[in-house]
């Protein structure tokens, strides 16, 4: 039975009686949250556009389905239901609040008379009853306010867990759209008898990769880069940084450990929509049990986004573009096989990451699906251009993809991936494997990290900047692609791309050395 209809369904109940029944009921505001952490008091307070969710619950629910966030598809409707309950509570307690104001006013008038009952129609005995009524009213209003706060807290929690709305640029479903290709396919000019080998075999042949020692040291999913492979890692990092820095991006060296609530605000939950673990949480000492939880960052995007948490940016500062290098940690394991063999899917790796804050332009957040080209789109396209330049210089055959709705993470409204050709993966996805991605997150992260934008002009004084992130280079997969595509079976060597040779002392090829 809906509480708001109680007095109407039972005509013999006055509004006061209905309110008393409502106050006496025990409300259960628990729900199955997708979040596995508690937001501490020091965390930035998220400001989600709940009004837009209430006005468009069907849009947000379908968006969850399209993006494979089926756990959250009922959240928009639950938010609407909770808001209606909150409205009913507000309406039903209006008379109670009015009565409270009247009692307070009469008590104030009585006190001003200093006991001269001849000047007032309120006998001294009525003062006692008024004080008692004021006490009861205060208690009842306190109960109501507590329930209102609980409702609002639950609404906010549900809203925070919803994924970003998808852009109309992207295809719906699970099939990406191929936008373009980079460099020629290595098989187009290869001799018919060319031998293709896996980077695992090549690494063992050249004694530059050691998975067996890593398995004993740390376990499956880790590796040792030895000799030229270790040098190649450093060369890749310096090369990628050089491409971005010459375009004006600013270098940052971020931490690899962040608060768990910061990772969640960026859209990284402990478990993904398929209930697979994503993040390594750090176990804290018993003496630190009351401190906020910490985790290993899966990408530099997380600490870079947090650099401006709880800050207000000036419009003249934007776009603010930075690039950082750090060690990344992914708990995701996946099924062992082609996808997870060797360097393709590992738990720890070096990655060069681009991150930017931009002005949202003149559009409102609620108009996302009807918007044209945004300021964030311009920086997004610059990121993809940098990614293409890096991979083109590495002489890798790649394809650029517009990713579909089912492949988007919580924060992204649009995402482009670039996949490289891996000869060892020809039996899976025709050899293609992701090496970079770039995402527009609109105001999803800035709202959850309390990163504000102060407008220099216009009716709106404060707004929310858009954030964009993109992988400049993830070392293990690119290194694996270079080994496989550059392998020469006759000379038992790997050709070093010309773009990397200056960073490797002029080395043109990696040969097996006498160690």
């Amino acid at each position: 039975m809906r509480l708001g209809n109680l007095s109407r369904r039972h005509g013999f109940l006055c509004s006061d009686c209905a309110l008393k029944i409502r106050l006496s009921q025990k409300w259960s505001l628990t729900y199955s949250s997708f979040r596995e952490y508690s937001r501490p008091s020091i965390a930035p307070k998220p400001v989600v556009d709940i009004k837009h969710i209430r006005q468009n619950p069907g849009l947000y629910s379908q968006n969850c389905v399209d993006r494979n966030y089926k756990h959250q598809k009922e959240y928009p409707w639950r938010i609407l239901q909770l808001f209606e309950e909150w409205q009913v509570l507000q309406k039903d307690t209006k008379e109670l609040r009015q009565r409270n104001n009247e009692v307070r006013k009469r008590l104030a008038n009585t006190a001003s008379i200093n006991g001269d009952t001849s000047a007032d129609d309120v006998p001294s005995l009525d003062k006692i009853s008024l004080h008692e009524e004021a006490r009861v009213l205060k208690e009842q209003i306190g109960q109501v306010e507590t329930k209102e706060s609980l409702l609002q807290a639950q609404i906010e929690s549900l809203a925070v867990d919803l994924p970003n709305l998808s852009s109309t640029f992207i295809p719906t479903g699970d099939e990406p759209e191929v936008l373009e290709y980079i460099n020629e396919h290595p098989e187009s000019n290869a001799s018919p008898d060319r031998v293709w080998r896996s980077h695992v075999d090549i690494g063992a042949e050249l004694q530059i990769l050691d998975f067996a020692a890593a398995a004993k040291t740390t376990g499956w999913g880790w590796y040792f880069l030895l000799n030229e492979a270790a040098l190649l890692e450093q060369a890749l990092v310096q090369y990628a940084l050089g491409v971005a820095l010459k375009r004006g991006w600013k270098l940052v060296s971020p931490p690899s450990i962040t608060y768990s609530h910061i990772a969640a605000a960026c859209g990284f939950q402990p478990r993904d929509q398929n209930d697979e673990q994503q993040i390594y949480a750090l176990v804290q000492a018993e003496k630190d049990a009351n401190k906020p939880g910490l985790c290993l960052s899966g990408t530099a995007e997380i600490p870079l986004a947090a650099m401006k948490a709880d800050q207000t940016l000036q419009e003249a500062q934007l776009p603010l573009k930075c690039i950082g290098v750090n060690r990344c940690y992914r708990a995701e394991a996946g099924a062992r096989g082609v996808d997870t063999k060797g360097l393709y899917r590992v738990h720890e790796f070096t990655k060069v990451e681009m991150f930017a804050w931009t002005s949202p332009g003149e559009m409102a957040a609620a108009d996302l699906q009807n918007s044209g080209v945004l300021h964030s789109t311009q920086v997004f396209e610059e990121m993809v251009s940098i990614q293409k330049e890096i991979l083109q210089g590495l002489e890798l055959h790649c394809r650029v993809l517009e990713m579909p709705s089912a492949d988007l993470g919580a924060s992204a409204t649009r995402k482009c991936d670039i996949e490289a050709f891996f000869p060892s993966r020809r039996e899976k996805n025709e050899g293609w494997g992701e090496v970079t991605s770039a995402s527009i997150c609109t105001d999803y992260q800035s709202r959850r990290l309390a990163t504000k934008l102060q407008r220099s002009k216009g009716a709106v004084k404060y707004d929310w900047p858009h954030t964009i992130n993109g992988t400049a280079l993830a070392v293990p997969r690119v290194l694996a692609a270079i080994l496989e595509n550059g392998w020469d079976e006759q000379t038992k060597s790997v050709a070093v791309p010309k773009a990397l040779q200056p960073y490797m002392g002029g080395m043109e090829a990696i040969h097996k050395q006498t160690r």
Side-chain angles (χ1 to χ4, degrees):
M1 180 185 298
R2 284 192 56 127
L3 298 178
N5 295 329
L6 186 61
S7 60
R8 290 195 295 271
R9 293 190 183 189
H10 300 276
F12 56 87
L13 285 177
C14 66
S15 58
D16 285 345
C17 295
L19 178 60
K20 288 178 181 177
I21 293 175
R22 193 171 291 111
L23 290 173
S24 66
Q25 290 179 329
K26 294 182 179 180
W27 288 26
S28 177
L29 298 179
T30 59
Y31 68 101
S32 177
S33 175
F34 194 60
R35 196 184 314 119
E36 296 183 6
Y37 73 98
S38 296
R39 188 170 64 86
S41 59
I42 66 168
K45 181 173 174 54
V47 185
V48 183
D49 192 351
I50 296 174
K51 180 180 179 181
H52 192 250
I53 298 172
R54 294 199 319 263
Q55 293 174 337
N56 302 275
L59 170 66
Y60 282 85
S61 180
Q62 185 59 46
N63 183 63
C64 291
V65 174
D66 292 341
R67 295 172 70 125
N68 198 28
Y69 279 76
K70 295 180 175 61
H71 183 88
Q72 288 97 327
K73 69 178 181 179
E74 297 300 328
Y75 285 12
W77 300 108
R78 179 62 177 150
I79 288 171
L80 184 59
Q81 178 187 4
L82 292 171
F83 179 72
E84 289 175 349
E85 291 178 12
W86 180 85
Q87 283 185 311
V88 168
L89 199 59
Q90 286 272 300
K91 181 179 178 180
D92 287 345
T93 57
K94 184 177 180 181
E95 292 183 6
L96 187 64
R97 297 179 192 275
Q98 289 176 342
R99 177 58 182 166
N100 184 55
N101 291 334
E102 292 172 2
V103 170
R104 287 176 177 274
K105 186 175 180 181
R106 294 184 67 185
L107 281 171
N109 291 338
T110 304
S112 66
I113 297 173
N114 295 322
D116 185 3
T117 57
S118 62
D120 195 354
D121 59 352
V122 183
S124 57
L125 289 177
D126 281 358
K127 296 178 187 177
I128 298 175
S129 62
L130 282 174
H131 279 292
E132 176 62 18
E133 184 176 2
R135 185 191 65 77
V136 173
L137 287 170
K138 181 180 179 180
E139 182 180 327
Q140 291 179 334
I141 290 173
Q143 293 176 18
V144 171
E145 289 176 344
T146 298
K147 292 176 180 179
E148 288 174 347
S149 297
L150 289 172
L151 285 171
Q152 290 172 344
Q154 188 176 359
I155 289 171
E156 290 173 3
S157 294
L158 292 169
V160 163
D161 284 349
L162 288 173
N164 202 350
L165 286 175
S166 302
S167 168
T168 52
F169 278 101
I170 70 169
T172 301
D174 54 11
E175 287 297 322
E177 176 187 352
V178 179
L179 301 179
E180 61 177 303
Y181 291 90
I182 304 171
N183 295 327
E184 292 186 355
H185 197 291
E187 292 182 326
S188 59
N189 297 321
S191 60
D193 58 347
R194 179 173 179 176
V195 177
W196 300 102
R197 297 179 67 178
S198 162
H199 69 275
V200 177
D201 297 332
I202 295 169
E205 177 78 23
L206 300 178
Q207 299 179 2
I208 59 175
L209 300 178
D210 193 339
F211 295 99
K216 294 178 181 178
T217 304
T218 317
W220 174 86
W222 274 269
Y223 54 93
F224 280 104
L225 299 181
L226 309 174
N227 306 305
E228 290 86 351
L231 183 60
L232 190 59
E233 176 181 45
Q234 301 305 315
L236 286 168
V237 169
Q238 293 303 313
Y239 166 61
L241 288 176
V243 173
L245 292 176
K246 73 180 182 182
R247 296 205 189 191
W249 291 66
K250 305 301 181 182
L251 183 60
V252 177
S253 181
S256 291
I257 295 178
T258 64
Y259 285 129
S260 298
H261 63 263
I262 291 292
C266 292
F268 292 83
Q269 298 287 352
R271 294 186 177 275
D272 63 13
Q273 59 266 42
N274 298 315
D275 201 35
E276 289 190 0
Q277 184 181 354
Q278 292 192 99
I279 294 175
Y280 286 111
L282 298 183
V283 177
Q284 294 174 254
E286 187 176 347
K287 66 182 179 64
D288 297 328
N290 294 326
K291 293 182 179 180
L294 295 168
C295 66
L296 297 176
S297 292
T299 168
E301 170 194 344
I302 298 170
L304 290 176
M307 261 202 318
K308 301 300 180 182
D310 270 329
Q311 294 187 35
T312 300
L313 306 178
Q314 301 299 315
E315 197 163 18
Q317 294 178 268
L318 305 182
L320 190 58
K321 303 181 291 186
C322 61
I323 184 168
V325 185
N326 77 339
R327 295 291 279 182
C328 302
Y329 301 86
R330 303 283 176 90
E332 57 191 7
R336 299 191 182 190
V338 176
D339 242 3
T340 55
K341 187 178 181 181
L343 294 174
Y344 190 79
R345 193 176 299 279
V346 293
H347 293 303
E348 180 182 3
F349 57 96
T350 301
K351 184 156 75 88
V352 185
E353 182 78 6
M354 297 177 284
F355 193 89
W357 296 263
T358 72
S359 169
E362 299 304 320
M363 71 151 231
D367 296 328
L368 172 64
Q369 296 206 329
N370 300 318
S371 63
V373 177
L374 312 178
H375 292 180
S376 53
T377 302
Q378 298 170 5
V379 177
F380 174 76
E381 291 174 350
E382 181 183 352
M383 280 187 180
V384 176
S385 174
I386 290 173
Q387 292 172 334
K388 291 192 294 184
E389 180 180 345
I390 290 171
L391 294 170
Q392 190 166 20
L394 295 176
E395 304 166 28
L396 296 175
H397 178 55
C398 303
R399 64 178 185 177
V400 183
L401 305 176
E402 185 76 59
M403 299 309 291
S405 58
D407 197 73
L408 299 183
S411 62
T413 186
R414 182 187 177 194
K415 182 163 80 87
C416 279
D417 283 0
I418 300 182
E419 295 181 337
F421 175 73
F422 291 79
S424 65
R425 292 173 56 85
R426 284 177 295 174
E427 295 181 0
K428 180 177 178 62
N429 200 24
E430 299 179 342
W432 297 112
E434 177 196 339
V435 288
T436 73
S437 68
S439 301
I440 301 177
C441 299
T442 59
D443 60 4
Y444 180 96
Q445 293 175 333
S446 59
R447 282 179 174 273
R448 287 159 175 78
L449 290 169
T451 304
K452 294 182 180 180
L453 169 64
Q454 186 171 7
R455 292 288 198 175
S456 57
K457 57 183 179 180
V460 179
K461 187 175 181 180
Y462 290 98
D463 210 335
W464 304 98
H466 285 189
T467 60
I468 311 97
N469 65 82
T471 307
L473 191 141
V475 169
R477 291 188 183 182
V478 173
L479 193 152
I482 290 174
L483 293 180
E484 293 187 11
N485 285 280
W487 174 252
D488 187 326
E489 183 69 22
Q490 292 183 341
T491 61
K492 299 291 195 254
S493 66
V494 173
V496 175
K498 292 181 180 179
L500 297 181
Q501 292 175 14
Y503 304 99
M504 298 186 67
M507 185 185 301
E508 297 181 356
I510 300 173
H511 297 273
K512 183 176 182 178
Q513 304 292 333
T514 302
R515 308 295 182 188

PDB file of all heavy atoms in Angstrom, residues 106 109-110 113 116-127 130:
ATOM      1  N   ARG A 106       3.367  31.278  19.169  1.00  0.00           N
ATOM      2  CA  ARG A 106       2.544  31.529  20.365  1.00  0.00           C
ATOM      3  C   ARG A 106       3.399  31.488  21.632  1.00  0.00           C
ATOM      4  O   ARG A 106       3.192  32.275  22.554  1.00  0.00           O
ATOM      5  CB  ARG A 106       1.415  30.504  20.445  1.00  0.00           C
ATOM      6  CG  ARG A 106       0.396  30.646  19.315  1.00  0.00           C
ATOM      7  CD  ARG A 106      -0.750  29.677  19.493  1.00  0.00           C
ATOM      8  NE  ARG A 106      -1.560  30.012  20.680  1.00  0.00           N
ATOM      9  CZ  ARG A 106      -2.568  29.282  21.126  1.00  0.00           C
ATOM     10  NH1 ARG A 106      -2.893  28.160  20.498  1.00  0.00           N
ATOM     11  NH2 ARG A 106      -3.256  29.655  22.199  1.00  0.00           N
ATOM     12  N   ASN A 109       5.208  34.761  21.815  1.00  0.00           N
ATOM     13  CA  ASN A 109       4.327  35.851  22.250  1.00  0.00           C
ATOM     14  C   ASN A 109       4.025  35.752  23.747  1.00  0.00           C
ATOM     15  O   ASN A 109       3.972  36.749  24.463  1.00  0.00           O
ATOM     16  CB  ASN A 109       3.016  35.815  21.467  1.00  0.00           C
ATOM     17  CG  ASN A 109       3.213  36.192  20.003  1.00  0.00           C
ATOM     18  OD1 ASN A 109       4.192  36.860  19.662  1.00  0.00           O
ATOM     19  ND2 ASN A 109       2.307  35.760  19.146  1.00  0.00           N
ATOM     20  N   THR A 110       3.830  34.529  24.233  1.00  0.00           N
ATOM     21  CA  THR A 110       3.545  34.309  25.646  1.00  0.00           C
ATOM     22  C   THR A 110       4.712  34.740  26.520  1.00  0.00           C
ATOM     23  O   THR A 110       4.547  35.371  27.564  1.00  0.00           O
ATOM     24  CB  THR A 110       3.224  32.823  25.897  1.00  0.00           C
ATOM     25  OG1 THR A 110       2.141  32.429  25.055  1.00  0.00           O
ATOM     26  CG2 THR A 110       2.852  32.589  27.349  1.00  0.00           C
ATOM     27  N   ILE A 113       5.129  38.515  27.240  1.00  0.00           N
ATOM     28  CA  ILE A 113       4.155  39.158  28.130  1.00  0.00           C
ATOM     29  C   ILE A 113       4.622  39.091  29.588  1.00  0.00           C
ATOM     30  O   ILE A 113       4.116  39.803  30.461  1.00  0.00           O
ATOM     31  CB  ILE A 113       2.777  38.481  27.947  1.00  0.00           C
ATOM     32  CG1 ILE A 113       2.303  38.700  26.520  1.00  0.00           C
ATOM     33  CG2 ILE A 113       1.771  38.996  28.944  1.00  0.00           C
ATOM     34  CD1 ILE A 113       1.049  37.950  26.178  1.00  0.00           C
ATOM     35  N   ASP A 116       1.906  38.159  32.293  1.00  0.00           N
ATOM     36  CA  ASP A 116       0.692  38.978  32.414  1.00  0.00           C
ATOM     37  C   ASP A 116      -0.407  38.332  31.595  1.00  0.00           C
ATOM     38  O   ASP A 116      -0.588  38.616  30.427  1.00  0.00           O
ATOM     39  CB  ASP A 116       0.971  40.392  31.919  1.00  0.00           C
ATOM     40  CG  ASP A 116      -0.238  41.306  32.136  1.00  0.00           C
ATOM     41  OD1 ASP A 116      -1.222  40.817  32.722  1.00  0.00           O
ATOM     42  OD2 ASP A 116      -0.158  42.473  31.716  1.00  0.00           O
ATOM     43  N   THR A 117      -1.157  37.393  32.196  1.00  0.00           N
ATOM     44  CA  THR A 117      -2.179  36.657  31.455  1.00  0.00           C
ATOM     45  C   THR A 117      -3.331  37.531  31.024  1.00  0.00           C
ATOM     46  O   THR A 117      -4.083  37.192  30.127  1.00  0.00           O
ATOM     47  CB  THR A 117      -2.738  35.512  32.321  1.00  0.00           C
ATOM     48  OG1 THR A 117      -3.245  36.068  33.536  1.00  0.00           O
ATOM     49  CG2 THR A 117      -1.644  34.506  32.636  1.00  0.00           C
ATOM     50  N   SER A 118      -3.474  38.709  31.650  1.00  0.00           N
ATOM     51  CA  SER A 118      -4.573  39.594  31.260  1.00  0.00           C
ATOM     52  C   SER A 118      -4.346  40.175  29.875  1.00  0.00           C
ATOM     53  O   SER A 118      -5.276  40.643  29.243  1.00  0.00           O
ATOM     54  CB  SER A 118      -4.707  40.733  32.283  1.00  0.00           C
ATOM     55  OG  SER A 118      -3.514  41.513  32.314  1.00  0.00           O
ATOM     56  N   ALA A 119      -3.090  40.178  29.437  1.00  0.00           N
ATOM     57  CA  ALA A 119      -2.784  40.740  28.110  1.00  0.00           C
ATOM     58  C   ALA A 119      -2.822  39.687  27.031  1.00  0.00           C
ATOM     59  O   ALA A 119      -2.552  39.967  25.891  1.00  0.00           O
ATOM     60  CB  ALA A 119      -1.411  41.411  28.146  1.00  0.00           C
ATOM     61  N   ASP A 120      -3.141  38.493  27.394  1.00  0.00           N
ATOM     62  CA  ASP A 120      -3.159  37.424  26.386  1.00  0.00           C
ATOM     63  C   ASP A 120      -4.253  36.435  26.737  1.00  0.00           C
ATOM     64  O   ASP A 120      -4.631  36.299  27.890  1.00  0.00           O
ATOM     65  CB  ASP A 120      -1.798  36.703  26.380  1.00  0.00           C
ATOM     66  CG  ASP A 120      -1.626  35.841  25.145  1.00  0.00           C
ATOM     67  OD1 ASP A 120      -2.584  35.720  24.380  1.00  0.00           O
ATOM     68  OD2 ASP A 120      -0.510  35.307  24.971  1.00  0.00           O
ATOM     69  N   ASP A 121      -4.751  35.750  25.729  1.00  0.00           N
ATOM     70  CA  ASP A 121      -5.814  34.779  25.964  1.00  0.00           C
ATOM     71  C   ASP A 121      -5.247  33.393  26.231  1.00  0.00           C
ATOM     72  O   ASP A 121      -5.970  32.405  26.210  1.00  0.00           O
ATOM     73  CB  ASP A 121      -6.777  34.736  24.779  1.00  0.00           C
ATOM     74  CG  ASP A 121      -6.077  34.364  23.486  1.00  0.00           C
ATOM     75  OD1 ASP A 121      -4.822  34.296  23.475  1.00  0.00           O
ATOM     76  OD2 ASP A 121      -6.787  34.139  22.486  1.00  0.00           O
ATOM     77  N   VAL A 122      -3.943  33.329  26.450  1.00  0.00           N
ATOM     78  CA  VAL A 122      -3.316  32.038  26.690  1.00  0.00           C
ATOM     79  C   VAL A 122      -3.078  31.872  28.178  1.00  0.00           C
ATOM     80  O   VAL A 122      -2.218  32.540  28.756  1.00  0.00           O
ATOM     81  CB  VAL A 122      -1.973  31.927  25.936  1.00  0.00           C
ATOM     82  CG1 VAL A 122      -1.374  30.538  26.149  1.00  0.00           C
ATOM     83  CG2 VAL A 122      -2.187  32.193  24.456  1.00  0.00           C
ATOM     84  N   PRO A 123      -3.833  31.024  28.874  1.00  0.00           N
ATOM     85  CA  PRO A 123      -3.632  30.800  30.308  1.00  0.00           C
ATOM     86  C   PRO A 123      -2.270  30.169  30.545  1.00  0.00           C
ATOM     87  O   PRO A 123      -1.680  29.542  29.665  1.00  0.00           O
ATOM     88  CB  PRO A 123      -4.767  29.839  30.678  1.00  0.00           C
ATOM     89  CG  PRO A 123      -5.740  29.907  29.542  1.00  0.00           C
ATOM     90  CD  PRO A 123      -4.959  30.252  28.332  1.00  0.00           C
ATOM     91  N   SER A 124      -1.766  30.327  31.754  1.00  0.00           N
ATOM     92  CA  SER A 124      -0.456  29.774  32.083  1.00  0.00           C
ATOM     93  C   SER A 124      -0.432  28.255  31.926  1.00  0.00           C
ATOM     94  O   SER A 124       0.605  27.680  31.611  1.00  0.00           O
ATOM     95  CB  SER A 124      -0.070  30.163  33.509  1.00  0.00           C
ATOM     96  OG  SER A 124      -1.054  29.710  34.424  1.00  0.00           O
ATOM     97  N   LEU A 125      -1.595  27.619  32.177  1.00  0.00           N
ATOM     98  CA  LEU A 125      -1.644  26.164  31.989  1.00  0.00           C
ATOM     99  C   LEU A 125      -1.419  25.791  30.531  1.00  0.00           C
ATOM    100  O   LEU A 125      -0.870  24.727  30.224  1.00  0.00           O
ATOM    101  CB  LEU A 125      -2.993  25.618  32.473  1.00  0.00           C
ATOM    102  CG  LEU A 125      -3.221  25.614  33.991  1.00  0.00           C
ATOM    103  CD1 LEU A 125      -4.624  25.118  34.314  1.00  0.00           C
ATOM    104  CD2 LEU A 125      -2.176  24.756  34.683  1.00  0.00           C
ATOM    105  N   ASP A 126      -1.877  26.663  29.624  1.00  0.00           N
ATOM    106  CA  ASP A 126      -1.693  26.376  28.203  1.00  0.00           C
ATOM    107  C   ASP A 126      -0.218  26.421  27.813  1.00  0.00           C
ATOM    108  O   ASP A 126       0.189  25.817  26.818  1.00  0.00           O
ATOM    109  CB  ASP A 126      -2.472  27.373  27.354  1.00  0.00           C
ATOM    110  CG  ASP A 126      -3.949  27.009  27.293  1.00  0.00           C
ATOM    111  OD1 ASP A 126      -4.300  25.971  27.875  1.00  0.00           O
ATOM    112  OD2 ASP A 126      -4.711  27.760  26.669  1.00  0.00           O
ATOM    113  N   LYS A 127       0.596  27.162  28.584  1.00  0.00           N
ATOM    114  CA  LYS A 127       2.023  27.210  28.267  1.00  0.00           C
ATOM    115  C   LYS A 127       2.638  25.828  28.398  1.00  0.00           C
ATOM    116  O   LYS A 127       3.480  25.421  27.595  1.00  0.00           O
ATOM    117  CB  LYS A 127       2.734  28.183  29.209  1.00  0.00           C
ATOM    118  CG  LYS A 127       2.303  29.633  29.075  1.00  0.00           C
ATOM    119  CD  LYS A 127       3.039  30.484  30.102  1.00  0.00           C
ATOM    120  CE  LYS A 127       2.502  31.910  30.104  1.00  0.00           C
ATOM    121  NZ  LYS A 127       3.142  32.746  31.140  1.00  0.00           N
ATOM    122  N   LEU A 130       1.564  23.824  25.474  1.00  0.00           N
ATOM    123  CA  LEU A 130       2.271  24.278  24.267  1.00  0.00           C
ATOM    124  C   LEU A 130       3.699  23.755  24.251  1.00  0.00           C
ATOM    125  O   LEU A 130       4.216  23.322  23.204  1.00  0.00           O
ATOM    126  CB  LEU A 130       2.263  25.809  24.206  1.00  0.00           C
ATOM    127  CG  LEU A 130       0.965  26.483  23.737  1.00  0.00           C
ATOM    128  CD1 LEU A 130       1.074  27.992  23.869  1.00  0.00           C
ATOM    129  CD2 LEU A 130       0.632  26.093  22.313  1.00  0.00           C
TER     130      LEU A 130
END
